Structure formats: structure tokens, C-alpha cells
């Protein structure tokens, strides 16, 4: 039977820290130096031998770890999101206010588009609202003004109609140019109709119908003698024409408001370059080649 001392020494060796796998290199002798006994008895050499295998292991493991490190870097590399999907951690107050107003504008415009489709909540009134919006169409007003001009037999009437025709052309061209620059889509992303394409009313900002209705109503109120009920109806018509495009889902609320402001600007610009009666007669003669002021 083994003695108690041998049993205790074996247990001590099993419990020793040096017997663990990670410390096995500490028990290995030096690989090339002088006598084995001298190397084993020198503590400095044993410490060096303890360091050398670790260094050798580290050096030999470096080439094998390079591809894994590159692969892990590729896997750990974050996916870059588009700029419009990124959230600014410290946005400015101006940016917060702008984004909030745009969000409110889109939300309210979508809620007010009750006639956008026949299946909408007010889809049964869509045809009536579309007819109301058609009364503010640019092609409608330009053709109507030309017809009235051909039938007018007074110099004052022809002067007003020629200036109105030029104001309508200015309004159509200006709104079409701004829409091409901004290229804002409507709240419901609808395709423009045939008449909209003819009048170059393709995009949402600004609202062409609102601009035209504001300009025409202000023009008629300033140059025609109308009774009070007719003046009230004319202002109400302009407001309803602008609102009809929002109900149809074609424009946002801000598009309508900016359209009204642009229409008033067109009226002020036309008033500043108002053409006299003689100039209007010259333009009429050039356009018809055989025009007579009275016929």
C-alpha cells in the first residue's frame, strides 16, 4: 500500500496551479542551453523559459489570427444608413420647428383629402368638388378671356381683358416654373390629369388653382363695378377653389396658402406694369392682323 506521504504529494500535485493546462509551459525545460541540470537550477532561466513559449505562441498565432480579425472587422462594420433615415442627435431649433410644421402639414392635408378617391369618406361629392376646381383652371380662364376679348366692343373692356390675359399667362408660367424647381408631390401621390399636364400643373407646390383664383378675384374686384353680394361671392369662390384642391388630395395646406400669396403678388406686379389702352390696341392689331377696336 502506498504511504500516506505519497498520497498527499500526489494530491498536492493535482491541486497545484502549475499542473493546469495554461501553466504547463512553466514546467518545460529550456530548449537549447548548456547542461540540463544547470538550466533547471537557475530561476532566471526558468522565468525566461516561462516567457519564451508564450512569446513564441503569440508570434505563431499572429498570422493565423489576421484573416479572422479582418473577417470580424467586416462583420462588425456598421451598415451605413441613408442620410434621410439618420436621426440628428443635436438638431437645431430651426430644424425641429421646420420638421414639426411639415409633419403637421402632411397630417392635416391627408385628413382633409376626403374626396381623394371615390372610396373616401366624401367620395360621393368628388365630382362636384372636381367641377368647382375646374372653374379655377388656367386653360379655362385663358380661353374664356380670349372669347370675351373677341366679343368686346369697348376700349375700356378690351384694356381690362388684355391685361387680365397677360396676368393669366404670367400666373401659369410662374407657377409652372416654381413647381419645376421645388418638385413637391401631393399628399396622396396622384398622377396629374390631362388638363393639368396641358396647364403644366404637375407638382404640388404652389397650388396653381389657388394662385389663379386669388389673382382673378382681386383683379375683378379692382376693375369691375360689382354689387356687394357679388363681391362676397367672388371672394368665397376663390377660397373654395383653393380648398377644393386640398379636398381632392392634390395639394397640401401650405401649397394652398402659398398659392394665394403668389396670386396676390401676380396682381400687384400686373398693376405696376399695367398696359394702357393704346398699347392694348396695338397688341390686338398685331395678334389679329385685321383687328378693329369696334366691330
Amino acid at each position: 500500500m502506498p504511504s500516506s506521504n505519497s498520497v498527499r504529494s500526489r494530491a498536492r500535485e493535482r491541486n497545484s496551479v502549475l499542473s493546469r493546462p495554461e501553466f504547463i509551459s512553466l514546467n518545460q525545460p529550456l530548449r537549447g542551453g548548456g547542461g540540463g541540470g544547470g538550466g533547471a537550477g537557475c530561476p532566471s532561466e526558468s522565468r525566461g523559459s516561462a516567457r519564451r513559449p508564450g512569446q513564441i505562441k503569440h508570434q505563431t498565432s499572429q498570422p493565423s489570427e489576421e484573416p479572422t480579425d479582418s473577417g470580424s472587422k467586416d462583420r462588425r462594420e456598421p451598415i451605413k444608413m441613408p442620410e434621410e433615415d439618420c436621426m440628428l442627435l443635436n438638431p437645431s431649433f430651426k430644424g425641429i420647428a421646420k420638421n414639426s410644421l411639415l409633419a403637421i402639414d402632411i397630417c392635416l392635408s391627408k385628413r382633409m383629402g376626403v374626396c381623394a378617391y371615390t372610396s373616401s369618406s366624401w367620395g360621393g361629392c368628388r365630382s362636384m368638388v372636381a367641377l368647382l376646381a375646374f372653374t379655377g383652371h388656367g386653360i379655362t380662364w385663358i380661353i374664356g378671356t380670349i372669347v370675351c376679348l373677341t366679343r368686346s366692343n369697348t376700349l375700356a373692356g378690351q384694356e381690362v381683358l388684355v391685361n387680365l390675359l397677360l396676368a393669366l399667362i404670367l400666373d401659369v408660367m410662374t407657377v409652372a416654373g416654381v413647381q419645376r424647381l421645388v418638385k413637391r408631390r401631393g399628399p396622396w401621390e396622384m398622377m396629374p390629369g390631362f388638363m393639368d399636364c396641358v396647364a403644366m400643373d404637375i407638382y404640388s407646390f404652389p397650388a396653381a388653382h389657388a394662385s389663379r383664383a386669388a389673382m382673378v378675384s382681386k383683379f375683378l374686384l379692382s376693375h369691375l363695378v360689382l354689387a356687394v353680394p357679388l363681391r362676397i361671392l367672388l371672394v368665397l369662390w376663390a377660397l373654395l377653389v383653393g380648398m377644393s384642391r386640398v379636398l381632392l388630395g392634390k395639394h397640401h395646406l401650405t401649397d394652398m396658402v402659398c398659392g394665394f400669396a403668389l396670386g396676390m403678388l401676380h396682381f400687384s406686379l400686373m398693376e405696376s406694369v399695367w398696359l394702357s389702352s393704346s398699347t392694348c390696341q396695338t397688341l390686338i392689331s398685331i395678334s389679329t392682323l385685321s383687328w378693329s377696336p369696334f366691330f
Side-chain angles (χ1 to χ4, degrees):
M1 290 182 63
S3 63
S4 60
N5 292 331
S6 63
V7 173
R8 289 175 185 172
S9 62
R10 289 174 189 170
R12 203 177 300 117
E13 288 177 0
R14 285 197 299 268
N15 295 332
S16 178
V17 176
L18 298 177
S19 62
R20 295 182 184 177
E22 57 267 27
F23 296 107
I24 290 176
S25 61
L26 295 177
N27 298 325
Q28 293 178 356
L30 291 176
R31 288 188 177 180
C42 183
S44 61
E45 291 180 1
S46 64
R47 291 195 201 100
S49 63
R51 286 196 299 269
R52 286 194 191 102
Q55 292 173 357
I56 295 170
K57 183 179 180 182
H58 178 69
Q59 291 173 359
T60 55
S61 63
Q62 278 183 350
S64 61
E65 288 177 358
E66 285 181 359
T68 57
D69 289 344
S70 62
S72 62
K73 286 180 182 178
D74 294 340
R75 289 194 297 270
R76 280 184 241 157
E77 186 176 357
I79 300 173
K80 294 182 179 180
M81 301 297 291
E83 292 183 0
E84 60 270 15
D85 295 339
C86 295
M87 181 180 67
L88 297 176
L89 297 180
N90 190 19
S92 62
F93 177 77
K94 184 178 179 181
I96 294 174
K98 179 182 176 181
N99 293 333
S100 300
L101 290 176
L102 286 176
I104 293 172
D105 179 34
I106 294 173
C107 180
L108 290 178
S109 302
K110 282 184 174 291
R111 287 178 176 238
M112 294 184 65
V114 293
C115 300
Y117 303 99
T118 54
S119 59
S120 301
S121 56
W122 289 14
C125 303
R126 178 178 169 81
S127 57
M128 296 178 60
V129 177
L131 181 61
L132 177 62
F134 185 74
T135 59
H137 204 279
I139 301 300
T140 305
W141 274 98
I142 290 175
I143 293 176
T145 303
I146 292 175
V147 171
C148 293
L149 185 59
T150 57
R151 296 181 177 277
S152 177
N153 54 5
T154 61
L155 293 176
Q158 291 175 2
E159 178 184 352
V160 172
L161 290 172
V162 168
N163 284 277
L164 177 60
L165 181 60
L166 294 177
L168 290 170
I169 295 174
L170 173 66
D171 180 81
V172 170
M173 299 303 294
T174 304
V175 172
V178 175
Q179 286 187 355
R180 289 284 183 180
L181 289 175
V182 179
K183 293 185 178 180
R184 187 186 189 188
R185 296 291 182 179
W188 292 98
E189 295 285 344
M190 292 183 176
M191 293 297 296
F194 174 75
M195 294 298 293
D196 294 332
C197 293
V198 171
M200 296 179 290
D201 186 13
I202 300 175
Y203 296 100
S204 176
F205 181 88
H209 288 67
S211 173
R212 198 166 303 111
M215 188 269 297
V216 169
S217 61
K218 183 65 176 176
F219 193 96
L220 296 180
L221 288 173
S222 300
H223 296 284
L224 294 181
V225 180
L226 300 174
V228 174
L230 291 178
R231 298 174 74 88
I232 295 174
L233 287 176
L234 191 59
V235 174
L236 185 62
W237 166 80
L239 294 175
L240 290 177
V241 167
M243 187 61 66
S244 64
R245 298 288 287 180
V246 179
L247 297 177
L248 291 172
K250 300 285 187 178
H251 298 283
H252 300 85
L253 284 173
T254 52
D255 302 335
M256 180 187 66
V257 174
C258 293
F260 284 141
L262 189 61
M264 300 303 292
L265 179 64
H266 289 159
F267 169 76
S268 301
L269 181 62
M270 201 63 217
E271 288 291 313
S272 62
V273 295
W274 184 269
L275 301 183
S276 62
S277 179
S278 59
T279 306
C280 293
Q281 294 303 314
T282 303
L283 292 176
I284 292 172
S285 301
I286 293 173
S287 60
T288 58
L289 299 179
S290 60
W291 183 275
S292 178
F294 300 96
F295 64 96

